[in-house]
Amino acid sequence: MNTQGPMRPFPVPDKSALDTFLADLEALFKEMDAAYDTVSRQYGFLCQGCTDNCCETRFYHHTLLEYLYLKAGMRTLPPQVQDEVLERACQVNRKMADAADESVRILCPLNQGSRCRLYGYRPMICRLHGIAHELRRPDGKILHQPGCDAFLNHCQKLGKTDYIPFDRTPFYRKMAALEQALRQQSQYREKIRMTISQILVCP
């Protein structure tokens, strides 16, 4: 299993500067959520859990900003709940380490009764996953993705075959700009490639 991730303490900005970065990320997440909800309502699609649960998908996260935001979310939980989540995260990491195939599905340690314990702090991919979308590359090429199986089945049942534009590009660009500013101020240059369970247990 590839466990590439930060192995040293983060030289993050002072608390005031960091709070500003996290507030900017919160605002960006609200913008993402509003755009996603607008398009999903037009499809009549509501994610309510399914057999192909995205909380069992091994998503990797790559930004220092989302790492710190999730850590901030953890500190809002009662100490006993934090301990429980960390123990589950350790169990997930052990299972992932034992799994030769990265496609093996293991439930996210934040999932409790089909609900995310840190829903407001979940990373970008957790917010944008599901509905059909497009991404505009720097070379001008537009990449289209059809959405998850639950979304496709929903559209098929309702006969909704027309694509409703949902462009992720502006959100990716804003996230990249925030990440670049944070890394410049903190002088942190290491690459991050971590699952939620790895982030939770990382010092």
Side-chain angles (χ1 to χ4, degrees), residues 35-36 38-40 42-43 131-136 144 162-168 171:
Y36 185 100
T38 296
V39 176
S40 62
Q42 294 180 56
Y43 283 110
I131 63 175
H133 63 272
E134 63 193 80
L135 182 63
R136 298 172 184 270
H144 290 272
D162 293 336
Y163 168 64
I164 300 174
F166 181 59
D167 187 359
R168 288 185 179 181
F171 306 125

Side-chain angles (χ1 to χ4, degrees), residues 87-133:
E87 175 57 30
R88 291 185 62 188
C90 289
Q91 294 173 3
V92 169
N93 288 335
R94 287 194 291 269
K95 290 179 181 178
M96 288 195 301
D98 292 338
D101 185 355
E102 286 213 355
S103 65
V104 171
R105 302 179 65 79
I106 304 173
L107 189 64
C108 175
L110 291 175
N111 187 299
Q112 179 70 23
S114 298
R115 307 283 292 185
C116 179
R117 280 176 148 163
L118 290 179
Y119 188 78
Y121 293 87
R122 69 199 189 282
M124 175 173 61
I125 189 60
C126 301
R127 297 170 186 271
L128 298 180
H129 182 74
I131 63 175
H133 63 272

Side-chain angles (χ1 to χ4, degrees), residues 4 16 32 48 52 61 98 103 126 153 175 193 198 201-202:
Q4 178 183 340
S16 177
M32 289 182 192
Q48 294 180 314
D52 185 28
H61 311 281
D98 292 338
S103 65
C126 301
N153 290 336
M175 176 68 81
R193 185 177 184 267
Q198 290 169 343
V201 302
C202 189

